[in-house]
Amino acid sequence: MRILLVEDDGALCLGISRALEREGWRVDVLADGQQAMAEGLEAQYDLAVLDLGLPRRDGMEVLRHWRNRGARLPVLLLTARDELSDRVQGLNAGADDYLTKPFDLAELVARLRALKRRADGRIDEVLRIGELTLDLATRELTHRGERVRMSPREIALTQLLMQRAGRLVPKESIIGTLSSWEADFSENSVEVYVHRLRKRFAALGVTIKTVRGFGYVLEAAPAPAAGAAGAGD
Ligand code: CA
């Protein structure tokens, strides 16, 4: 397993590197947020350990950059004790886990192992509902085998809804997912996005039901009458 460690505290870096290398893992270390932005997009990493407070670009900017560019590697954030709001923001921005400093190195190793297990389980994962398929590796949405073009934001929302198809997706989860693109994402924006997606889904045999005051449920629509297919945009 190859891990990208981004941390500017030299002593902490050394401690972490040693602990991870004892597990037989390979560790590449960066102490600078700007460099980390490009490096994290390289495909060779299985995991990243990312400090929030970094020189030049902070960890949050780095994480957003990675996710916006489609990097799916699991990311564990390192945060200081007083960075609670950053931690929440980090999870919303696409972090998979976090540890608050100071932490136990054995705990870090255990968390990384768990993240790797989870990541391995979702390799080549494909989500399906009705005749709609979302390939999580390529972020490609298809309907009866035909590519459906959507913005990265719409794909992210589609993924969230498909992962919980048939179950309630709370508004807060949608805000969490979409605010990695827009910092000031509000409840009203959720309604706008869902409305837009609902219109697109109508032609694809999938409906988004509103559960007033709580959120949304994605369901396959009943099969359309013959001749109705191909209508809409
Ligand atoms: Ca730091």
Side-chain angles (χ1 to χ4, degrees):
M1 177 148 87
R2 189 159 172 191
I3 298 174
L4 177 62
L5 170 61
V6 190
E7 166 63 70
D8 58 317
D9 177 332
L12 183 57
C13 248
L14 197 62
I16 293 175
S17 300
R18 281 189 184 145
L20 301 188
E21 280 160 5
R22 266 200 300 274
E23 299 299 311
W25 300 338
R26 183 167 163 192
V27 185
D28 290 353
V29 178
L30 287 177
D32 175 306
Q34 183 75 46
Q35 286 177 318
M37 280 187 155
E39 193 65 19
L41 299 177
E42 301 294 327
Q44 72 264 32
Y45 295 109
D46 298 293
L47 285 174
V49 177
L50 178 63
D51 184 31
L52 274 182
L54 291 168
R56 299 222 280 168
R57 299 296 191 101
D58 69 32
M60 199 69 71
E61 285 179 88
V62 174
L63 177 60
R64 288 215 169 95
H65 179 77
W66 289 351
R67 292 305 186 231
N68 288 347
R69 296 296 182 90
R72 295 177 62 238
L73 81 168
V75 175
L76 184 144
L77 287 182
L78 301 180
T79 71
R81 192 175 289 280
D82 56 354
E83 291 174 326
L84 177 68
S85 63
D86 290 348
R87 212 177 302 156
V88 173
Q89 250 191 59
L91 291 172
N92 285 340
D96 298 87
D97 201 358
Y98 66 85
L99 270 179
T100 305
K101 296 177 187 177
F103 52 84
D104 188 51
L105 287 171
E107 174 73 13
L108 175 65
V109 168
R111 299 280 193 101
L112 292 178
R113 258 208 208 104
L115 281 182
K116 180 71 166 82
R117 268 199 305 273
R118 239 197 282 164
D120 288 346
R122 72 184 182 210
I123 281 172
D124 294 326
E125 200 181 329
V126 166
L127 300 173
R128 283 192 186 87
I129 182 165
E131 292 181 298
L132 211 55
T133 303
L134 177 62
D135 185 322
L136 293 182
T138 60
R139 323 276 313 148
E140 211 173 77
L141 186 69
T142 51
H143 178 251
R144 294 181 185 169
E146 297 271 324
R147 173 92 184 265
V148 180
R149 295 202 180 274
M150 283 196 180
S151 71
R153 251 173 290 204
E154 288 171 329
I155 290 285
L157 179 53
T158 299
Q159 178 181 341
L160 180 66
L161 292 167
M162 284 178 85
Q163 272 166 338
R164 301 185 200 174
R167 288 174 291 155
L168 178 74
V169 179
K171 271 189 179 174
E172 300 79 66
S173 303
I174 297 178
I175 293 174
T177 298
L178 296 184
S179 55
S180 54
W181 278 276
E182 276 170 45
D184 56 344
F185 207 85
S186 70
E187 208 158 301
N188 287 341
S189 330
V190 169
E191 283 165 23
V192 172
Y193 272 98
V194 168
H195 180 72
R196 208 181 292 168
L197 204 58
R198 180 179 281 142
K199 277 169 85 176
R200 299 210 57 186
F201 278 172
L204 305 174
V206 175
T207 58
I208 304 174
K209 285 192 175 158
T210 302
V211 181
R212 205 168 286 279
F214 293 100
Y216 305 93
V217 179
L218 186 70
E219 288 176 355
D233 61 345

